[in-house]
């Protein structure tokens, strides 16, 4: 009776298995960008329902949209809208350079007479040197402009307010959206209830989209895979 030994995985199959495992890990770590969608939590804040006024015979109720003569119609309560003027402009540059150089020499002169006179002086000379020269440059410019209306989500006792909001655009080639949140000082609002994004603390701005144009500008999953495993 002839017994056959169980077949062992060849090195090629083992390599393919490792590559497949790496590909799966890459896909899990970097989900498909085409399935991206706007994050939750930027829905408009609604004002609190006015409390029922006790019957006292008066017809005036300050809870029904009253605005003082000095305050005007400036946003000041939860649910009031205001305009954020996006004026983000960042420019960064970095330059690095390094250079090193080192040299050395060694020389022995044998005596002209005696038992060591046969030595050649040129054979006893030694020298060495090393040098390095490297440099790098990096620069980046980011600009974002436009306007975005948000609503007050929370009014705080120090005169600031937490604002948040978003704008979604459904275009013929996909969808784009802008999401914004931050802390605004109510005293910085202009007469038309607008403030620049440079005066917003803890600002979070997200501008992205999805669609055929967005997918065309992103690297494919197979290209990402080979970029991750290439040794060069």
């Amino acid at each position: 009776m002839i017994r056959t030994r169980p077949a062992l995985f060849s090195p090629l199959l083992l390599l393919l298995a490792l590559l497949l495992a790496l590909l799966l890990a890459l896909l899990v770590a970097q989900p498909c960008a085409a399935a991206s969608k706007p994050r939750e939590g930027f829905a408009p804040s609604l004002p609190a329902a006015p409390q029922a006024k006790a019957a006292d015979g008066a017809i005036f109720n300050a809870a029904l949209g009253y605005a003082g003569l000095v305050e005007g119609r400036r946003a000041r309560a939860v649910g009031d809208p205001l305009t954020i003027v996006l004026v983000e402009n960042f420019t960064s540059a970095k330059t690095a350079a390094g250079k090193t150089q080192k040299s050395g020499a060694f020389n022995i002169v044998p005596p002209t007479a005696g038992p060591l006179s046969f030595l050649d002086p040129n054979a006893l000379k030694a020298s060495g040197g090393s040098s390095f020269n490297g440099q790098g440059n990096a620069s980046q410019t980011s600009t974002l402009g436009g306007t975005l209306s948000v609503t007050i989500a929370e009014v705080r006792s120090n005169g600031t307010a937490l604002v948040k909001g978003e704008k979604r655009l459904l275009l013929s080639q996909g969808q784009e959206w802008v999401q914004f949140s931050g802390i605004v000082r109510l005293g910085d609002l202009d007469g038309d209830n607008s403030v620049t994004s440079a005066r917003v603390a803890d600002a979070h701005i997200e501008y992205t989209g999805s669609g055929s144009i967005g997918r065309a500008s992103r690297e494919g999953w197979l290209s990402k895979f080979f970029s991750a495993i290439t040794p060069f």
Side-chain angles (χ1 to χ4, degrees), residues 136-228:
N137 298 304
S139 62
Q140 181 178 355
T141 302
S142 301
T143 303
L144 180 62
T147 58
L148 175 66
S149 295
V150 298
T151 55
I152 297 179
E154 178 185 349
V155 178
R156 300 175 179 176
S157 58
N158 60 350
T160 61
L162 172 65
V163 299
K164 61 180 180 179
E166 63 180 355
K167 178 186 292 185
R168 301 190 188 187
L169 303 175
L170 183 59
L171 307 176
S172 59
Q173 298 296 330
Q175 183 181 11
E176 295 183 359
W177 58 86
V178 184
Q179 294 179 328
F180 183 92
S181 66
I183 300 175
V184 175
R185 190 173 65 174
L186 297 178
D188 292 338
L189 295 178
D190 295 337
D192 56 351
N193 285 328
S194 63
V195 62
T196 61
S197 59
R199 310 193 71 172
V200 179
D202 194 25
H204 293 264
I205 307 173
E206 181 176 341
Y207 176 44
T208 183
S210 62
S212 58
I213 297 180
R215 289 193 301 268
S217 62
R218 298 184 180 98
E219 189 178 10
W221 61 269
L222 188 59
S223 179
K224 291 181 181 179
F225 169 71
F226 284 108
S227 299

Side-chain angles (χ1 to χ4, degrees), residues 3-9:
R3 296 182 177 179
T4 58
R5 300 179 58 185
L8 300 177
F9 285 104

Side-chain angles (χ1 to χ4, degrees), residues 45-69:
S45 301
L46 301 178
Q51 299 179 356
K53 180 183 177 182
D56 54 2
I59 61 175
F60 174 75
N61 188 358
L64 298 178
Y66 167 76
L69 180 62

